[in-house]
Amino acid sequence: MRRLPPDRPLSATWLIPAFAAAIWSGLMTLVADEPAATQRSLVFLGGPLVLLSGLHARLFAFLHAPARMRWLPLPIGAARHWQAAVRSHHPPFLVAATLGAAALMLAIPGRPSARGISSDTALVLEFCWFAALAGLLEPVASASAAIFGRRFPETSRAHELQRSLGGGWTTPEAVVHLYAPAFAVGLAVLLAMPGQLSLERWVDGHAVSSTQLGLGLTPALIAIALRLAAPALYRRGVWEAVPRLAEATRTLAGPPQPEPSPAWARAISDPWLRLVVIQFWRITALPYLRLGLVVGLAVHTATRADPPSGYSVAVAVAAIGAWVVPAGTLIRERAARARLAGALPLSRLKRRGYAGIAAGVALAAPPVALLGSIALRALG
């Protein structure tokens, strides 16, 4: 039997880490002239946040992807599900790690250290050491979610722990999915710390003893051991965890009746444009806040006297990302729009579900206005 195809990567696997890396790069430019200790502290804090930003999308293929539920009743071994999910996980993780390293290289000027290594290279090495351990532990999070996402007897301690940690917000079996990904990143931070401290000591010109070297490498062996044990945990729990997670997802989806359309949408005369705009508004969390951030930053940038700094540009990029990311979901809804418009007297592209030029202009206008105001202030 051939290998299962990897799941189609979500746009959030690279788009959200890109915006997080842009913000991190902007923050690092503010401390470019600060001592090395300050820069190292921000690398210690910011590196995990960059990888955490796209973590859910990278782990989506293990248990959340519709293909897992669709293929689960078929005579396909759990090992093949694991292999397909791992192949879907590796490319976006490398993209996120590369974006984080590039953000450091662009933000920190190279200054020689006691060992002759530039300061930006040393910080990138620290981040890469953490990223390597995080890459080993991220699949462990999904394996742990598979083994602890099953239904346990109501009198067991495991079921009591599920209910207490969930607080009634979701089904007990889905509680582990709220904590396992962040716990994996936190464990990677903890295991990477001894190696990072040893690297900093060596870069500063001090000798690294064999004991310190062993303390730095032992956590890597622990991460490798956990990664080797992850497939067995996943194979044991995937058959029960995926149906329970699908049930919880349907429960969180809310009632079948959608919320009322915004009143201002009735002023749009084109029915197709009104449909696309309302669809975008309903699938976007806090749309007024996202739009207000982009428009507010555009007005602030256009009216300020001094040109925008690197930090303000990073904030603007993050605001644009908060507005653009839901557009990926709108693109994925093209098949649903095609089923609706297939028999209607519309143009060929609209019958295929495409949003149309007017919808694209309406969605692109706020970020284009913000980018235009930044460009005008930078050139003027």
Side-chain angles (χ1 to χ4, degrees):
M1 183 177 178
R2 294 185 302 173
R3 296 186 304 179
L4 293 178
D7 294 89
R8 183 179 180 181
L10 303 175
S11 59
T13 57
W14 63 270
L15 194 57
I16 295 179
F19 292 122
I23 297 176
W24 191 31
S25 182
L27 291 174
M28 294 301 295
T29 57
L30 299 178
V31 298
D33 298 328
E34 297 294 328
T38 303
Q39 297 175 357
R40 291 166 178 172
S41 299
L42 287 180
V43 170
F44 178 79
L45 296 174
L49 294 178
V50 171
L51 294 187
L52 190 63
S53 61
L55 182 58
H56 174 74
R58 291 196 298 272
L59 300 181
F60 185 78
F62 285 94
L63 298 170
H64 297 75
R68 297 282 83 76
M69 190 64 184
R70 186 170 63 250
W71 291 339
L72 212 59
L74 302 179
I76 301 174
R80 296 186 182 276
H81 289 277
W82 173 263
Q83 294 167 2
V86 167
R87 291 197 302 273
S88 299
H89 168 264
H90 287 344
F93 174 79
L94 293 177
V95 170
T98 302
L99 289 172
L104 286 178
M105 293 293 292
L106 294 175
I108 303 299
R111 292 178 295 188
S113 62
R115 295 288 182 178
I117 300 178
S118 60
S119 57
D120 55 346
T121 303
L123 293 177
V124 169
L125 289 176
E126 288 191 37
F127 171 76
C128 290
W129 175 249
F130 157 73
L133 298 182
L136 291 172
L137 294 176
E138 283 187 3
V140 178
S142 294
S144 302
I147 199 68
F148 293 110
R150 300 173 296 164
R151 175 162 294 181
F152 296 95
E154 294 186 1
T155 56
S156 64
R157 293 294 300 273
H159 182 76
E160 181 181 350
L161 185 63
Q162 287 177 333
R163 293 185 62 86
S164 60
L165 292 177
W169 187 74
T170 184
T171 59
E173 296 80 16
V175 170
V176 66
H177 302 280
L178 305 177
Y179 298 97
F183 179 79
V185 175
L187 182 59
V189 172
L190 181 64
L191 295 180
M193 190 185 305
Q196 291 174 328
L197 294 177
S198 298
L199 177 61
E200 292 174 2
R201 180 177 177 83
W202 181 81
V203 170
D204 292 338
H206 303 288
V208 179
S209 63
S210 57
T211 302
Q212 292 172 333
L213 185 62
L215 290 176
L217 295 179
T218 299
L221 299 178
I222 296 175
I224 293 174
L226 292 175
R227 177 62 178 81
L228 293 176
L233 297 176
Y234 182 85
R235 290 194 299 267
R236 182 181 176 186
V238 65
W239 306 108
E240 300 180 54
V242 170
R244 301 298 180 191
L245 182 59
E247 177 185 2
T249 303
R250 289 193 299 269
T251 302
L252 292 175
Q257 182 179 359
E259 61 182 11
S261 302
W264 52 263
R266 302 169 189 168
I268 303 176
S269 58
D270 185 358
W272 184 257
L273 177 60
R274 184 165 63 249
L275 169 67
V276 174
V277 170
I278 292 176
Q279 187 180 35
F280 175 82
W281 214 255
R282 286 177 175 173
I283 64 179
T284 303
L286 303 175
Y288 290 103
L289 177 60
R290 295 171 188 254
L291 180 60
L293 285 175
V294 178
V295 175
L297 286 174
V299 174
H300 173 70
T301 304
T303 55
R304 63 184 299 174
D306 53 334
S309 61
Y311 175 73
S312 59
V313 171
V315 173
V317 170
I320 292 174
W323 175 257
V324 171
V325 166
T329 306
L330 186 67
I331 294 174
R332 290 192 296 272
E333 293 294 327
R334 183 171 66 88
R337 293 193 298 271
R339 289 192 297 268
L340 174 65
L344 298 179
L346 300 172
S347 65
R348 180 172 55 89
L349 291 179
K350 291 180 180 179
R351 289 199 303 272
R352 293 183 178 181
Y354 289 97
I357 298 177
V361 171
L363 296 178
V368 168
L370 178 53
L371 292 176
S373 63
I374 293 176
L376 290 177
R377 297 305 304 162
L379 295 176

